[in-house]
Amino acid sequence: MKLSSRIDVMKPSAIREAGKLIAAKENCISFAAGLPSPDFIPVDIVKEVTNKILSENGIQALQYGPTKGHEPLLRKIQERMAGKDMKCGIENLQITTGSQQAISFSAMLFIDKGDTLITENPSYLGALASFAPFECNVKGVDADEHGMKMDELEALLESDPKAKMIYVVPNFSNPTGKTWSLERRKKLYELASKYDLPIIEDDPYGEIRFEGEVVPSIKSFDVEERVVYLGSFSKIFCAGLRVGWIMANPDLINKYEMIKQGADLQSNQLAQMQVEEYLNQYDLDEQVKFIIESYKAKRDLMCNLIDEHFPESIKRTHPEGGMFVWLELPEGADATALLPKALEKNVGFVPGGPFFPGTGNDNTIRLNFSTMAPDKIEEGIIKLGELFRDEF
Ligand SMILES: Cc1ncc(COP(=O)(O)O)c(C=O)c1O
């Protein structure tokens, strides 16, 4: 049987591959997956709202619904967006099955085979995976502590007429935890405008800020309507419900709706109603405050332990929010080769190389701090410190 050419360029996720190795070890301390903390998955509340939905609106919850999304949920999202300086109407919104689906739909909307798609270097692995079937050239632009380097972006845009779309995660990025300055966001917008490109602003972590000033989203100054903003309830409510949204100009939203129709008709109706009912009855902002408090304590714990136990030759980022710390090991180190040695000590992580669209950067590691309990973070980082002190 002959398979499509696109399947040849697809690779299994490095996180899921590392996850398989980690799952094979009993009671392994894992800093690999990017899972929200189990402490904030409100099972009893979801049970209660589900009972209410099924008793009062069971048929609607279990029947087909509109492709665009459940209207009362769209209105709730509209309210939340207005509270974050992104006023919109529901004609600007489309519900998606997590923001992951919105990333893939964005490539479907803007990218043809052979086009250039620009990301940060490194970028979200799930986005890189979702771009692969479109048979485009994904080009990474390096970033420093203020965001993507704009001189490098400009040189790329100048030299590559096939550039069609820019995908960025400006708040507490996955994998580095870095946040873009306002100046970089504005410069990105200026360049996107000059070369007439869409910006896909993926913001699943934006609300989880521990410290520092909120930086305005790119969408908030999008006078030309070239920004497609992606939001998600995964990191602040329940990832398993798979509810996210796109905010963009109505013409683009109509196209996204058409794509969604062909892909899966609609997102899960019950899940949309569960989110909506939760938002009716509970204060999501309160829940976000608890998440921030817990993740900040875990970030502090992990970073302090890294500083205490890792050799000085290992550099780390200092995330002001989100769920990840990024490590740079000495030049020439190979994180993939170190993983089995870490697993012997019952600790897992994801090597950073696969987060780069190109090759190389094998001396990098992503550590997640949201999932593990504090005592496990302590035990795991001390053990990694033992390994790294032997190696470097
Ligand atoms: C940057 C980024 N975008 C999108 C996603 C996908 O999130 P969702 O659960 O909303 O599909 C993730 C998940 O980890 C992510 O880190």
Side-chain angles (χ1 to χ4, degrees):
M1 236 181 339
K2 209 161 179 288
L3 302 182
S4 69
S5 58
R6 78 182 63 87
I7 208 74
D8 289 336
V9 286
M10 295 176 75
K11 289 187 276 195
S13 150
I15 301 175
R16 297 205 175 220
E17 290 302 295
K20 277 189 215 157
L21 295 175
I22 293 164
K25 303 272 305 175
E26 216 173 307
N27 297 324
C28 189
I29 297 171
S30 175
F31 300 127
L35 303 181
S37 167
D39 298 345
F40 300 106
I41 299 186
V43 177
D44 288 337
I45 290 179
V46 174
K47 254 191 221 166
E48 178 201 306
V49 300
T50 307
N51 276 336
K52 182 169 188 291
I53 293 164
L54 292 179
S55 330
E56 294 175 8
N57 289 306
I59 301 290
Q60 186 190 8
L62 301 174
Q63 182 56 285
Y64 285 118
T67 299
K68 185 176 171 62
H70 179 54
E71 190 170 325
L73 176 63
L74 289 163
R75 298 219 175 274
K76 289 276 171 202
I77 292 170
Q78 180 189 15
E79 269 170 39
R80 279 192 85 73
M81 297 298 288
K84 296 182 194 323
D85 249 357
M86 288 180 271
K87 284 210 177 74
C88 68
I90 63 168
E91 67 280 9
N92 296 96
L93 297 172
Q94 167 67 51
I95 298 290
T96 54
T97 301
S99 50
Q100 184 67 31
Q101 184 175 54
I103 296 170
S104 169
F105 284 0
S106 299
M108 205 177 287
L109 182 56
F110 294 110
I111 295 293
D112 287 314
K113 187 173 176 175
D115 282 344
T116 296
L117 193 164
I118 298 171
T119 70
E120 281 168 271
N121 225 357
S123 186
Y124 167 49
L125 191 58
L128 299 180
S130 84
F131 299 148
F134 297 95
E135 301 179 88
C136 52
N137 296 313
V138 181
K139 295 190 180 168
V141 175
D142 286 342
D144 59 21
E145 68 276 22
H146 306 293
M148 190 185 264
K149 292 180 179 167
M150 289 298 133
D151 47 348
E152 289 187 18
L153 175 64
E154 190 156 19
L156 174 57
L157 293 174
E158 188 61 47
S159 64
D160 189 343
K162 290 196 150 238
K164 285 282 273 298
M165 166 179 140
I166 307 173
Y167 166 81
V168 292
V169 186
N171 287 322
F172 324 124
S173 111
N174 177 0
T176 64
K178 289 179 187 172
T179 294
W180 289 39
S181 65
L182 180 57
E183 196 190 333
R184 291 288 168 92
R185 294 174 196 222
K186 289 201 161 151
K187 184 69 187 171
L188 172 71
Y189 194 79
E190 190 188 308
L191 288 174
S193 174
K194 179 172 171 194
Y195 291 89
D196 196 21
L197 297 177
I199 299 170
I200 312 302
E201 181 178 25
D202 186 13
D203 192 25
Y205 303 102
E207 298 199 33
I208 310 175
R209 175 177 277 282
F210 316 142
E211 64 196 28
E213 292 289 304
V214 173
V215 187
S217 65
I218 306 169
K219 185 74 198 163
S220 68
F221 49 82
D222 179 23
V223 286
E224 298 170 348
E225 300 197 309
R226 64 176 60 259
V227 178
V228 174
Y229 178 92
L230 312 185
S232 173
F233 288 105
S234 288
K235 313 298 188 210
I236 51 175
F237 184 47
C238 296
L241 295 184
R242 312 300 304 122
V243 180
W245 68 94
I246 302 170
M247 176 185 169
N249 87 50
D251 291 342
L252 288 179
I253 286 293
N254 288 340
K255 305 261 183 322
Y256 276 110
E257 186 179 353
M258 201 169 62
I259 293 172
K260 182 145 178 86
Q261 222 159 28
D264 65 353
L265 300 181
Q266 62 171 101
S267 288
N268 182 317
Q269 182 70 18
L270 175 59
Q272 293 180 71
M273 292 173 77
Q274 286 164 320
V275 177
E276 186 243 331
E277 192 53 40
Y278 173 83
L279 294 172
N280 280 337
Q281 288 190 37
Y282 294 90
D283 185 350
L284 180 57
D285 293 331
E286 272 300 300
Q287 163 90 346
V288 173
K289 273 190 207 151
F290 292 131
I291 293 175
I292 290 173
E293 203 179 306
S294 159
Y295 290 9
K296 179 183 185 303
K298 288 181 176 187
R299 189 269 327 247
D300 288 345
L301 180 66
M302 183 176 269
C303 288
N304 290 339
L305 286 162
I306 288 173
D307 294 347
E308 194 180 332
H309 294 275
F310 287 12
E312 268 185 22
S313 55
I314 296 182
K315 306 285 172 242
R316 67 161 172 87
T317 52
H318 181 78
E320 290 188 334
M323 306 192 338
F324 305 104
V325 174
W326 180 250
L327 301 180
E328 268 181 49
L329 311 181
E331 205 60 44
D334 181 355
T336 305
L338 285 172
L339 179 58
K341 295 185 187 177
L343 288 172
E344 275 170 31
K345 292 182 177 283
N346 242 7
V347 188
F349 57 75
V350 210
F355 292 86
F356 291 80
T359 52
N361 303 286
D362 296 326
N363 62 326
T364 54
I365 285 176
R366 187 191 76 173
L367 295 178
N368 163 275
F369 55 78
S370 59
T371 317
M372 289 282 128
D375 59 328
K376 295 290 172 195
I377 293 179
E378 182 163 1
E379 191 184 332
I381 295 295
I382 290 175
K383 285 183 176 169
L384 278 184
E386 287 163 13
L387 171 66
F388 293 154
R389 282 199 310 278
D390 283 349
E391 296 282 332
F392 309 114

